[in-house]
Amino acid sequence: MGDYHFVYKDLEGASTQWDDIQRKLGNLPEKPPAFKPPPFTPAPDEASLPKDKSWIDRKTEDELEDLEDDRDLDDDRFLEEYRKKRLAELRESAKVAKFGSIIPISGSDFVREVSQAPSDVWVVVILYKEGIPECGVLMQCLEELAARYPATKFCKIISTDCIPNYPDHNLPTLLVYNNSAVKANYVGLQRFGRRCTPEGVALVLCQSDPVLNDGQGGGDQSREAVIEEVRLRFIEKVVAEHEEDDDGSSSD
């Protein structure tokens, strides 16, 4: 038969007289302090919190709408105006966050997603086919722009799903829509420069219209801000490339 033995343990934190003697002699480590749960602190009552700017900032969009009939805010013009301002900010943020990536669509989606897009939304559509290298190059540029300018809607559709028998030698093709109308179209990569980069594509798209929008402004202000940002990014890239070239030549 197997040799069985049992180990008996006292309650956690308990100590015998023998253990106490051994600790005095230095043969055992000091006994750890007994566990004490943290004191209970009840959550603050929402009604007892002071109604100030930080109180408004903690509210969600729905909660801010519910406060429209709050009598306390009716007596505080500053808080009521701040509530309206905060509500407008949340609604604008929700609108901007609607996009941010390239949306794949089919032929049956085109009218709803592109032609019937809201009049204040610019839509950039790429007609493409898998396996065509030029389509992949432009797609990478658009993916970066879609993330950088989330208030602009980017869509992609297989060329022949959009236009039956559309020739492959015209790919990729970009269509720019606004207010149910085609504002521009670009066939191939030639218009975007010898090296197709996100900055080059952004400059072409914003030549005459505020196509790209980061959600921080609108109209000509947004267009000018985009062009200035693109120029700065382009300069930074050129400087970085020259620095890499210099490092490579010095190591040789």
Side-chain angles (χ1 to χ4, degrees), residues 96 98-105 110 113-114 117 121-128 138-157 174-177 186 192 198 201-202 205-206 210-214 226:
V96 170
K98 191 187 316 183
F99 310 119
S101 61
I102 302 179
I103 304 169
I105 61 174
F110 194 91
E113 296 289 344
V114 179
V121 173
W122 286 83
V123 186
V124 178
V125 186
I126 177 173
L127 277 59
Y128 76 104
L138 185 56
M139 192 76 74
Q140 286 185 347
C141 296
L142 296 181
E143 286 172 352
E144 183 172 328
L145 294 178
R148 197 185 302 169
Y149 303 104
T152 298
K153 187 175 186 178
F154 287 81
C155 299
K156 64 179 180 180
I157 182 171
L174 273 192
L175 304 176
V176 180
Y177 274 76
Y186 306 98
F192 305 116
V201 176
L205 290 175
C206 290
V211 176
L212 299 180
N213 189 348
D214 59 5
V226 168

Short mmCIF file of all heavy atoms in Angstrom, two decimals, residues 96 98-105 110 113-114 117 121-128 138-157 174-177 186 192 198 201-202 205-206 210-214 226:
data_model
loop_
_atom_site.label_atom_id
_atom_site.label_comp_id
_atom_site.label_asym_id
_atom_site.label_seq_id
_atom_site.Cartn_x
_atom_site.Cartn_y
_atom_site.Cartn_z
N VAL A 96 -17.61 62.37 -37.74
CA VAL A 96 -16.27 62.16 -38.28
C VAL A 96 -15.86 60.70 -38.18
O VAL A 96 -15.25 60.14 -39.08
CB VAL A 96 -15.27 63.07 -37.54
CG1 VAL A 96 -13.84 62.69 -37.91
CG2 VAL A 96 -15.53 64.52 -37.87
N LYS A 98 -17.44 58.16 -38.58
CA LYS A 98 -18.22 57.26 -39.42
C LYS A 98 -17.34 56.52 -40.43
O LYS A 98 -17.62 55.40 -40.79
CB LYS A 98 -19.30 58.06 -40.15
CG LYS A 98 -20.33 57.20 -40.84
CD LYS A 98 -21.28 58.02 -41.71
CE LYS A 98 -21.77 59.27 -41.08
NZ LYS A 98 -22.73 60.00 -41.92
N PHE A 99 -16.27 57.17 -40.89
CA PHE A 99 -15.41 56.57 -41.90
C PHE A 99 -14.05 56.24 -41.30
O PHE A 99 -13.98 55.87 -40.15
CB PHE A 99 -15.30 57.51 -43.10
CG PHE A 99 -16.64 57.99 -43.61
CD1 PHE A 99 -16.96 59.34 -43.61
CD2 PHE A 99 -17.60 57.09 -44.04
CE1 PHE A 99 -18.20 59.78 -44.06
CE2 PHE A 99 -18.85 57.51 -44.49
CZ PHE A 99 -19.15 58.87 -44.50
N GLY A 100 -12.97 56.38 -42.07
CA GLY A 100 -11.65 56.08 -41.53
C GLY A 100 -10.97 54.91 -42.20
O GLY A 100 -9.83 54.61 -41.88
N SER A 101 -11.66 54.24 -43.12
CA SER A 101 -11.07 53.13 -43.87
C SER A 101 -11.78 53.04 -45.21
O SER A 101 -12.79 53.71 -45.44
CB SER A 101 -11.21 51.81 -43.09
OG SER A 101 -12.58 51.50 -42.88
N ILE A 102 -11.25 52.20 -46.11
CA ILE A 102 -11.86 52.04 -47.44
C ILE A 102 -13.01 51.04 -47.33
O ILE A 102 -12.83 49.91 -46.86
CB ILE A 102 -10.83 51.58 -48.48
CG1 ILE A 102 -9.68 52.58 -48.55
CG2 ILE A 102 -11.48 51.43 -49.84
CD1 ILE A 102 -8.58 52.17 -49.53
N ILE A 103 -14.18 51.45 -47.80
CA ILE A 103 -15.39 50.61 -47.70
C ILE A 103 -15.56 49.83 -49.01
O ILE A 103 -15.72 50.44 -50.07
CB ILE A 103 -16.63 51.48 -47.45
CG1 ILE A 103 -16.44 52.33 -46.20
CG2 ILE A 103 -17.88 50.62 -47.35
CD1 ILE A 103 -17.51 53.40 -46.03
N PRO A 104 -15.54 48.50 -48.96
CA PRO A 104 -15.80 47.73 -50.19
C PRO A 104 -17.29 47.76 -50.53
O PRO A 104 -18.14 47.57 -49.65
CB PRO A 104 -15.34 46.32 -49.81
CG PRO A 104 -15.45 46.25 -48.32
CD PRO A 104 -15.22 47.64 -47.80
N ILE A 105 -17.60 48.01 -51.79
CA ILE A 105 -19.00 48.04 -52.22
C ILE A 105 -19.16 47.22 -53.50
O ILE A 105 -18.19 46.92 -54.19
CB ILE A 105 -19.50 49.48 -52.47
CG1 ILE A 105 -18.68 50.15 -53.59
CG2 ILE A 105 -19.44 50.31 -51.19
CD1 ILE A 105 -19.20 51.53 -53.99
N PHE A 110 -23.73 50.96 -55.16
CA PHE A 110 -23.10 52.18 -55.63
C PHE A 110 -24.00 53.41 -55.43
O PHE A 110 -23.55 54.44 -54.91
CB PHE A 110 -22.74 52.06 -57.11
CG PHE A 110 -21.80 53.13 -57.59
CD1 PHE A 110 -20.43 52.93 -57.56
CD2 PHE A 110 -22.28 54.33 -58.07
CE1 PHE A 110 -19.56 53.92 -57.99
CE2 PHE A 110 -21.43 55.33 -58.49
CZ PHE A 110 -20.06 55.13 -58.46
N GLU A 113 -24.37 54.16 -51.55
CA GLU A 113 -23.14 54.52 -50.84
C GLU A 113 -22.44 55.73 -51.46
O GLU A 113 -21.73 56.46 -50.74
CB GLU A 113 -22.16 53.34 -50.83
CG GLU A 113 -22.66 52.13 -50.07
CD GLU A 113 -22.69 52.35 -48.57
OE1 GLU A 113 -22.06 53.33 -48.10
OE2 GLU A 113 -23.35 51.58 -47.86
N VAL A 114 -22.62 55.95 -52.76
CA VAL A 114 -21.86 57.00 -53.44
C VAL A 114 -22.77 58.14 -53.91
O VAL A 114 -22.66 59.27 -53.44
CB VAL A 114 -21.08 56.41 -54.63
CG1 VAL A 114 -20.31 57.51 -55.37
CG2 VAL A 114 -20.12 55.32 -54.16
N ALA A 117 -24.85 59.77 -51.08
CA ALA A 117 -24.15 60.20 -49.87
C ALA A 117 -24.57 61.62 -49.51
O ALA A 117 -24.97 62.40 -50.39
CB ALA A 117 -22.64 60.14 -50.09
N VAL A 121 -20.57 65.42 -47.69
CA VAL A 121 -19.56 64.37 -47.65
C VAL A 121 -18.98 64.17 -49.05
O VAL A 121 -19.71 63.97 -50.02
CB VAL A 121 -20.15 63.03 -47.14
CG1 VAL A 121 -19.12 61.91 -47.28
CG2 VAL A 121 -20.59 63.17 -45.70
N TRP A 122 -17.65 64.24 -49.15
CA TRP A 122 -16.97 63.93 -50.40
C TRP A 122 -16.67 62.44 -50.44
O TRP A 122 -16.29 61.85 -49.43
CB TRP A 122 -15.68 64.72 -50.53
CG TRP A 122 -15.91 66.17 -50.85
CD1 TRP A 122 -16.21 67.17 -49.98
CD2 TRP A 122 -15.89 66.77 -52.15
NE1 TRP A 122 -16.38 68.36 -50.64
CE2 TRP A 122 -16.18 68.15 -51.98
CE3 TRP A 122 -15.64 66.29 -53.44
CZ2 TRP A 122 -16.24 69.05 -53.04
CZ3 TRP A 122 -15.69 67.18 -54.50
CH2 TRP A 122 -15.98 68.54 -54.30
N VAL A 123 -16.86 61.83 -51.61
CA VAL A 123 -16.67 60.38 -51.76
C VAL A 123 -15.61 60.14 -52.83
O VAL A 123 -15.69 60.67 -53.94
CB VAL A 123 -17.99 59.67 -52.15
CG1 VAL A 123 -17.77 58.16 -52.16
CG2 VAL A 123 -19.12 60.06 -51.21
N VAL A 124 -14.61 59.33 -52.48
CA VAL A 124 -13.56 58.94 -53.42
C VAL A 124 -13.71 57.44 -53.67
O VAL A 124 -13.67 56.64 -52.74
CB VAL A 124 -12.16 59.24 -52.86
CG1 VAL A 124 -11.07 58.78 -53.83
CG2 VAL A 124 -12.01 60.73 -52.56
N VAL A 125 -13.90 57.06 -54.94
CA VAL A 125 -14.12 55.66 -55.31
C VAL A 125 -12.99 55.19 -56.21
O VAL A 125 -12.65 55.85 -57.19
CB VAL A 125 -15.46 55.48 -56.07
CG1 VAL A 125 -15.75 54.01 -56.30
CG2 VAL A 125 -16.61 56.13 -55.30
N ILE A 126 -12.40 54.05 -55.87
CA ILE A 126 -11.37 53.46 -56.72
C ILE A 126 -11.95 52.25 -57.43
O ILE A 126 -12.52 51.36 -56.80
CB ILE A 126 -10.10 53.07 -55.92
CG1 ILE A 126 -9.09 52.38 -56.86
CG2 ILE A 126 -10.41 52.19 -54.72
CD1 ILE A 126 -7.74 52.09 -56.23
N LEU A 127 -11.84 52.24 -58.76
CA LEU A 127 -12.20 51.08 -59.57
C LEU A 127 -10.91 50.27 -59.77
O LEU A 127 -9.89 50.83 -60.21
CB LEU A 127 -12.75 51.51 -60.93
CG LEU A 127 -14.24 51.90 -61.01
CD1 LEU A 127 -14.58 53.05 -60.08
CD2 LEU A 127 -14.61 52.25 -62.45
N TYR A 128 -10.95 49.00 -59.42
CA TYR A 128 -9.72 48.21 -59.41
C TYR A 128 -10.02 46.76 -59.77
O TYR A 128 -11.17 46.34 -59.90
CB TYR A 128 -9.10 48.25 -58.01
CG TYR A 128 -9.81 47.36 -57.01
CD1 TYR A 128 -9.26 46.14 -56.62
CD2 TYR A 128 -11.06 47.71 -56.50
CE1 TYR A 128 -9.92 45.31 -55.72
CE2 TYR A 128 -11.72 46.90 -55.60
CZ TYR A 128 -11.15 45.70 -55.21
OH TYR A 128 -11.82 44.87 -54.34
N LEU A 138 -1.94 52.27 -55.72
CA LEU A 138 -2.89 53.34 -55.40
C LEU A 138 -3.75 52.98 -54.19
O LEU A 138 -4.08 53.85 -53.37
CB LEU A 138 -3.77 53.64 -56.61
CG LEU A 138 -4.74 54.82 -56.47
CD1 LEU A 138 -3.98 56.09 -56.10
CD2 LEU A 138 -5.53 55.04 -57.75
N MET A 139 -4.08 51.71 -54.04
CA MET A 139 -4.89 51.28 -52.91
C MET A 139 -4.16 51.55 -51.59
O MET A 139 -4.78 51.99 -50.62
CB MET A 139 -5.23 49.80 -53.03
CG MET A 139 -6.29 49.32 -52.07
SD MET A 139 -7.96 49.81 -52.55
CE MET A 139 -8.25 48.67 -53.93
N GLN A 140 -2.85 51.29 -51.55
CA GLN A 140 -2.08 51.56 -50.34
C GLN A 140 -2.10 53.04 -49.99
O GLN A 140 -2.22 53.42 -48.82
CB GLN A 140 -0.64 51.08 -50.52
CG GLN A 140 -0.49 49.57 -50.46
CD GLN A 140 0.97 49.14 -50.53
OE1 GLN A 140 1.85 49.95 -50.86
NE2 GLN A 140 1.23 47.90 -50.23
N CYS A 141 -1.99 53.89 -51.00
CA CYS A 141 -2.04 55.33 -50.76
C CYS A 141 -3.41 55.74 -50.20
O CYS A 141 -3.49 56.54 -49.25
CB CYS A 141 -1.76 56.10 -52.05
SG CYS A 141 -0.10 55.86 -52.73
N LEU A 142 -4.46 55.20 -50.77
CA LEU A 142 -5.81 55.56 -50.31
C LEU A 142 -6.10 55.05 -48.91
O LEU A 142 -6.82 55.69 -48.14
CB LEU A 142 -6.86 55.02 -51.29
CG LEU A 142 -6.83 55.59 -52.71
CD1 LEU A 142 -7.95 54.98 -53.55
CD2 LEU A 142 -6.95 57.11 -52.69
N GLU A 143 -5.54 53.90 -48.56
CA GLU A 143 -5.74 53.39 -47.20
C GLU A 143 -5.15 54.34 -46.17
O GLU A 143 -5.76 54.59 -45.12
CB GLU A 143 -5.09 52.00 -47.07
CG GLU A 143 -5.88 50.89 -47.77
CD GLU A 143 -5.13 49.58 -47.80
OE1 GLU A 143 -3.94 49.58 -47.41
OE2 GLU A 143 -5.72 48.57 -48.22
N GLU A 144 -3.98 54.91 -46.48
CA GLU A 144 -3.37 55.87 -45.56
C GLU A 144 -4.18 57.15 -45.50
O GLU A 144 -4.40 57.72 -44.43
CB GLU A 144 -1.93 56.16 -46.00
CG GLU A 144 -1.21 57.09 -45.04
CD GLU A 144 0.27 57.21 -45.37
OE1 GLU A 144 0.86 56.24 -45.87
OE2 GLU A 144 0.83 58.30 -45.11
N LEU A 145 -4.67 57.63 -46.65
CA LEU A 145 -5.46 58.85 -46.67
C LEU A 145 -6.81 58.67 -45.97
O LEU A 145 -7.29 59.58 -45.30
CB LEU A 145 -5.68 59.31 -48.12
CG LEU A 145 -4.43 59.74 -48.89
CD1 LEU A 145 -4.79 60.13 -50.31
CD2 LEU A 145 -3.73 60.90 -48.17
N ALA A 146 -7.41 57.48 -46.12
CA ALA A 146 -8.69 57.22 -45.47
C ALA A 146 -8.56 57.30 -43.95
O ALA A 146 -9.45 57.81 -43.26
CB ALA A 146 -9.23 55.85 -45.89
N ALA A 147 -7.45 56.80 -43.43
CA ALA A 147 -7.22 56.86 -41.98
C ALA A 147 -6.90 58.28 -41.53
O ALA A 147 -7.28 58.69 -40.43
CB ALA A 147 -6.09 55.92 -41.59
N ARG A 148 -6.23 59.03 -42.38
CA ARG A 148 -5.80 60.39 -42.01
C ARG A 148 -6.95 61.39 -42.13
O ARG A 148 -6.98 62.39 -41.40
CB ARG A 148 -4.64 60.81 -42.90
CG ARG A 148 -3.84 62.00 -42.38
CD ARG A 148 -2.79 62.42 -43.39
NE ARG A 148 -1.86 61.36 -43.72
CZ ARG A 148 -0.99 61.41 -44.72
NH1 ARG A 148 -0.96 62.48 -45.50
NH2 ARG A 148 -0.16 60.41 -44.94
N TYR A 149 -7.89 61.13 -43.04
CA TYR A 149 -9.00 62.07 -43.28
C TYR A 149 -10.34 61.33 -43.14
O TYR A 149 -11.00 61.00 -44.13
CB TYR A 149 -8.86 62.69 -44.67
CG TYR A 149 -7.54 63.40 -44.86
CD1 TYR A 149 -6.52 62.81 -45.61
CD2 TYR A 149 -7.31 64.62 -44.26
CE1 TYR A 149 -5.30 63.45 -45.76
CE2 TYR A 149 -6.08 65.27 -44.42
CZ TYR A 149 -5.09 64.68 -45.17
OH TYR A 149 -3.88 65.30 -45.32
N PRO A 150 -10.76 61.06 -41.89
CA PRO A 150 -11.94 60.21 -41.66
C PRO A 150 -13.26 60.86 -42.02
O PRO A 150 -14.29 60.18 -42.03
CB PRO A 150 -11.87 59.92 -40.16
CG PRO A 150 -11.10 61.07 -39.59
CD PRO A 150 -10.10 61.46 -40.63
N ALA A 151 -13.29 62.16 -42.32
CA ALA A 151 -14.55 62.79 -42.71
C ALA A 151 -14.80 62.66 -44.21
O ALA A 151 -15.85 63.05 -44.70
CB ALA A 151 -14.55 64.26 -42.31
N THR A 152 -13.82 62.14 -44.96
CA THR A 152 -14.00 61.84 -46.37
C THR A 152 -14.29 60.35 -46.51
O THR A 152 -13.65 59.53 -45.87
CB THR A 152 -12.73 62.21 -47.17
OG1 THR A 152 -12.52 63.62 -47.06
CG2 THR A 152 -12.89 61.84 -48.65
N LYS A 153 -15.23 60.03 -47.36
CA LYS A 153 -15.63 58.63 -47.54
C LYS A 153 -14.85 58.02 -48.70
O LYS A 153 -14.85 58.54 -49.82
CB LYS A 153 -17.13 58.56 -47.82
CG LYS A 153 -17.70 57.15 -47.87
CD LYS A 153 -19.22 57.21 -48.02
CE LYS A 153 -19.84 55.84 -47.94
NZ LYS A 153 -21.33 55.90 -48.05
N PHE A 154 -14.17 56.90 -48.43
CA PHE A 154 -13.41 56.18 -49.45
C PHE A 154 -14.09 54.83 -49.70
O PHE A 154 -14.39 54.10 -48.75
CB PHE A 154 -11.97 55.95 -49.00
CG PHE A 154 -11.12 57.18 -49.02
CD1 PHE A 154 -11.16 58.10 -47.98
CD2 PHE A 154 -10.28 57.44 -50.09
CE1 PHE A 154 -10.38 59.23 -47.99
CE2 PHE A 154 -9.48 58.58 -50.12
CZ PHE A 154 -9.53 59.48 -49.06
N CYS A 155 -14.31 54.50 -50.97
CA CYS A 155 -14.92 53.22 -51.35
C CYS A 155 -14.07 52.55 -52.42
O CYS A 155 -13.36 53.22 -53.17
CB CYS A 155 -16.35 53.43 -51.89
SG CYS A 155 -17.51 54.19 -50.73
N LYS A 156 -14.18 51.23 -52.50
CA LYS A 156 -13.51 50.49 -53.57
C LYS A 156 -14.51 49.52 -54.18
O LYS A 156 -15.34 48.94 -53.48
CB LYS A 156 -12.29 49.75 -53.03
CG LYS A 156 -12.58 48.66 -51.99
CD LYS A 156 -11.29 47.98 -51.55
CE LYS A 156 -11.56 46.88 -50.52
NZ LYS A 156 -10.31 46.21 -50.08
N ILE A 157 -14.42 49.37 -55.50
CA ILE A 157 -15.34 48.48 -56.22
C ILE A 157 -14.60 47.87 -57.40
O ILE A 157 -13.79 48.54 -58.07
CB ILE A 157 -16.60 49.25 -56.69
CG1 ILE A 157 -17.56 48.31 -57.40
CG2 ILE A 157 -16.24 50.42 -57.58
CD1 ILE A 157 -18.91 48.94 -57.70
N LEU A 174 -9.91 56.53 -60.47
CA LEU A 174 -10.50 57.19 -59.30
C LEU A 174 -11.67 58.07 -59.74
O LEU A 174 -11.55 58.84 -60.71
CB LEU A 174 -9.47 58.08 -58.59
CG LEU A 174 -8.55 57.47 -57.53
CD1 LEU A 174 -7.83 58.57 -56.77
CD2 LEU A 174 -9.32 56.59 -56.58
N LEU A 175 -12.78 57.96 -59.04
CA LEU A 175 -13.94 58.82 -59.25
C LEU A 175 -14.17 59.63 -57.98
O LEU A 175 -14.14 59.07 -56.87
CB LEU A 175 -15.19 58.01 -59.58
CG LEU A 175 -15.10 57.05 -60.77
CD1 LEU A 175 -16.40 56.25 -60.90
CD2 LEU A 175 -14.81 57.80 -62.05
N VAL A 176 -14.39 60.92 -58.12
CA VAL A 176 -14.65 61.80 -56.98
C VAL A 176 -16.08 62.32 -57.09
O VAL A 176 -16.44 62.95 -58.08
CB VAL A 176 -13.65 62.96 -56.92
CG1 VAL A 176 -13.95 63.86 -55.72
CG2 VAL A 176 -12.22 62.44 -56.86
N TYR A 177 -16.88 62.04 -56.06
CA TYR A 177 -18.29 62.44 -56.04
C TYR A 177 -18.56 63.43 -54.91
O TYR A 177 -17.95 63.37 -53.84
CB TYR A 177 -19.19 61.22 -55.80
CG TYR A 177 -19.56 60.45 -57.05
CD1 TYR A 177 -18.65 59.61 -57.67
CD2 TYR A 177 -20.83 60.55 -57.61
CE1 TYR A 177 -18.98 58.88 -58.80
CE2 TYR A 177 -21.17 59.82 -58.75
CZ TYR A 177 -20.25 59.00 -59.34
OH TYR A 177 -20.59 58.28 -60.46
N TYR A 186 -9.85 60.24 -62.50
CA TYR A 186 -8.42 60.09 -62.82
C TYR A 186 -8.19 58.66 -63.28
O TYR A 186 -8.47 57.71 -62.55
CB TYR A 186 -7.57 60.40 -61.59
CG TYR A 186 -7.87 61.75 -60.97
CD1 TYR A 186 -8.72 61.84 -59.87
CD2 TYR A 186 -7.31 62.91 -61.49
CE1 TYR A 186 -9.01 63.07 -59.29
CE2 TYR A 186 -7.60 64.15 -60.93
CZ TYR A 186 -8.45 64.22 -59.83
OH TYR A 186 -8.74 65.45 -59.27
N PHE A 192 -0.63 61.16 -60.74
CA PHE A 192 -0.14 61.22 -59.36
C PHE A 192 1.38 61.26 -59.26
O PHE A 192 1.93 61.10 -58.18
CB PHE A 192 -0.69 60.04 -58.57
CG PHE A 192 -2.19 59.93 -58.63
CD1 PHE A 192 -2.80 58.84 -59.22
CD2 PHE A 192 -2.99 60.95 -58.13
CE1 PHE A 192 -4.18 58.75 -59.30
CE2 PHE A 192 -4.37 60.87 -58.20
CZ PHE A 192 -4.97 59.78 -58.79
N PRO A 198 1.05 58.80 -50.97
CA PRO A 198 -0.17 59.40 -50.39
C PRO A 198 -0.17 60.92 -50.51
O PRO A 198 -1.23 61.52 -50.76
CB PRO A 198 -0.11 58.95 -48.92
CG PRO A 198 0.69 57.69 -48.94
CD PRO A 198 1.71 57.87 -50.02
N VAL A 201 -1.08 61.89 -54.14
CA VAL A 201 -2.51 61.68 -54.39
C VAL A 201 -3.33 62.75 -53.69
O VAL A 201 -4.29 63.30 -54.26
CB VAL A 201 -2.94 60.27 -53.90
CG1 VAL A 201 -4.45 60.08 -54.06
CG2 VAL A 201 -2.19 59.19 -54.67
N ALA A 202 -2.96 63.12 -52.46
CA ALA A 202 -3.70 64.13 -51.72
C ALA A 202 -3.65 65.48 -52.43
O ALA A 202 -4.65 66.19 -52.52
CB ALA A 202 -3.14 64.26 -50.31
N LEU A 205 -6.01 65.40 -55.47
CA LEU A 205 -7.42 65.41 -55.08
C LEU A 205 -7.88 66.78 -54.61
O LEU A 205 -9.05 67.16 -54.81
CB LEU A 205 -7.67 64.38 -53.98
CG LEU A 205 -7.59 62.91 -54.38
CD1 LEU A 205 -7.75 62.01 -53.15
CD2 LEU A 205 -8.64 62.55 -55.41
N CYS A 206 -6.98 67.55 -53.99
CA CYS A 206 -7.38 68.84 -53.42
C CYS A 206 -6.98 70.02 -54.29
O CYS A 206 -6.95 71.16 -53.81
CB CYS A 206 -6.77 69.00 -52.03
SG CYS A 206 -7.49 67.91 -50.79
N PRO A 210 -12.23 70.93 -51.80
CA PRO A 210 -11.83 70.41 -50.48
C PRO A 210 -12.25 68.95 -50.30
O PRO A 210 -13.07 68.62 -49.44
CB PRO A 210 -12.58 71.33 -49.51
CG PRO A 210 -13.81 71.72 -50.25
CD PRO A 210 -13.42 71.82 -51.70
N VAL A 211 -11.68 68.07 -51.13
CA VAL A 211 -12.09 66.66 -51.13
C VAL A 211 -11.72 65.97 -49.81
O VAL A 211 -12.53 65.25 -49.23
CB VAL A 211 -11.44 65.92 -52.33
CG1 VAL A 211 -11.79 64.43 -52.28
CG2 VAL A 211 -11.90 66.54 -53.64
N LEU A 212 -10.50 66.21 -49.35
CA LEU A 212 -10.03 65.54 -48.14
C LEU A 212 -10.36 66.39 -46.93
O LEU A 212 -10.08 67.59 -46.89
CB LEU A 212 -8.53 65.28 -48.22
CG LEU A 212 -8.08 64.39 -49.38
CD1 LEU A 212 -6.57 64.21 -49.36
CD2 LEU A 212 -8.78 63.04 -49.32
N ASN A 213 -10.93 65.75 -45.91
CA ASN A 213 -11.38 66.46 -44.72
C ASN A 213 -11.05 65.63 -43.49
O ASN A 213 -11.47 64.48 -43.38
CB ASN A 213 -12.88 66.73 -44.82
CG ASN A 213 -13.38 67.66 -43.73
OD1 ASN A 213 -12.67 67.94 -42.77
ND2 ASN A 213 -14.60 68.13 -43.88
N ASP A 214 -10.29 66.22 -42.57
CA ASP A 214 -9.95 65.50 -41.34
C ASP A 214 -10.99 65.69 -40.24
O ASP A 214 -10.84 65.20 -39.13
CB ASP A 214 -8.57 65.91 -40.83
CG ASP A 214 -8.49 67.41 -40.54
OD1 ASP A 214 -9.53 68.09 -40.63
OD2 ASP A 214 -7.39 67.90 -40.22
N VAL A 226 -5.13 70.95 -45.60
CA VAL A 226 -4.68 69.67 -46.15
C VAL A 226 -3.46 69.88 -47.04
O VAL A 226 -2.47 69.15 -46.94
CB VAL A 226 -5.82 68.99 -46.95
CG1 VAL A 226 -5.27 67.82 -47.76
CG2 VAL A 226 -6.91 68.51 -46.01
#
